[in-house]
Amino acid sequence: NTLAECKWTIDQASGGHTEWVGCVRFSPNLQNPLVVSGGWDKVVKVWNLNNMKLKSNLVGHNSVINTVAIAPDGSLCASAGKDGTTILWDLNEGRELYRLNAGSQVNALSFSPNRYWLVAGTDKNIIIWDLESKSAIITLDKNAPDFFAHQQVSITKNPAVTSLAWSRSGTTLYAGYTDHMIRVWEVISSE
């Protein structure tokens, strides 16, 4: 048997979101246990995992937040959404670090497990940013060889990326698309 008990309900009176919650993520940092949420109210909220008290409101988006991601060391958070802007946040200080422009709506974010990279899945493509240089190092889109190779019927000619996951080694990126496909990208750094 499996049992579940609701331990916390965070509503507006408790400092919760005023619109739909689009994404919730846990920090892997055990010394500073946090939960981060992004909402349609354009706010990223950082919660203390021990007591579910609001630690900070991270304000900066102009539109709905679709996704948040937390860096493997738990020090950074990235948020993005409909406005195409990805914002990097310092979770320890509760402040904005910088912005990256994806050029279209961002539906998914994921930090590389072994490099200082952030990947964004958008309505048009996948962008991998090097966070040290704050620049895109590669864009993966429908023009890549074999992108449509295994598709029997064309559902859409411009599939959007809806989900992302890195392999543990950080060399393989899995991406889910609106054309019902999962595309597996091998990512090799030439460094």
Side-chain angles (χ1 to χ4, degrees):
N1 289 342
T2 303
L3 300 174
E5 178 183 350
C6 181
K7 294 289 190 178
W8 307 96
T9 299
I10 302 169
D11 56 15
Q12 288 181 30
S14 309
H17 291 279
T18 59
E19 297 284 339
W20 288 11
V21 177
C23 192
V24 178
R25 298 283 185 253
F26 287 92
S27 171
N29 185 340
L30 299 177
Q31 284 69 46
N32 187 19
L34 301 173
V35 175
V36 177
S37 59
W40 285 29
D41 55 5
K42 309 172 197 167
V43 179
V44 174
K45 292 184 176 277
V46 181
W47 307 91
N48 179 317
L49 183 58
N50 293 326
N51 59 16
M52 291 312 295
K53 298 284 186 205
L54 182 64
K55 183 176 175 185
S56 57
N57 283 315
L58 306 176
V59 179
H61 284 281
N62 296 321
S63 189
V64 168
I65 297 171
N66 293 332
T67 182
V68 295
I70 300 176
D73 68 358
S75 66
L76 298 176
C77 169
S79 59
K82 202 166 188 166
D83 62 6
T85 300
T86 298
I87 302 177
L88 273 288
W89 307 94
D90 180 319
L91 287 178
N92 296 321
E93 296 181 20
R95 66 177 181 89
E96 181 178 327
L97 295 173
Y98 55 89
R99 294 169 180 241
L100 302 165
N101 186 359
S104 66
Q105 176 170 304
V106 179
N107 303 310
L109 291 170
S110 184
F111 283 93
S112 168
N114 61 350
R115 295 182 187 96
Y116 201 51
W117 290 357
L118 176 67
V119 61
T122 78
D123 278 356
K124 295 181 181 178
N125 53 28
I126 293 173
I127 303 167
I128 300 177
W129 286 297
D130 178 296
L131 298 179
E132 286 181 325
S133 67
K134 301 180 181 100
S135 62
I137 56 172
I138 192 167
T139 300
L140 309 170
D141 62 20
K142 66 180 182 177
N143 298 315
D146 297 328
F147 188 85
F148 291 110
H150 302 287
Q151 204 170 31
Q152 301 293 326
V153 178
S154 178
I155 294 169
T156 178
K157 293 190 186 315
N158 298 301
V161 180
T162 56
S163 58
L164 295 165
W166 283 102
S167 64
R168 183 179 304 243
S169 67
T171 59
T172 306
L173 178 66
Y174 299 85
Y177 290 81
T178 57
D179 64 354
H180 310 177
M181 297 287 178
I182 298 170
R183 291 182 175 85
V184 181
W185 300 89
E186 185 177 18
V187 182
I188 300 170
S189 177
S190 60
E191 297 171 5

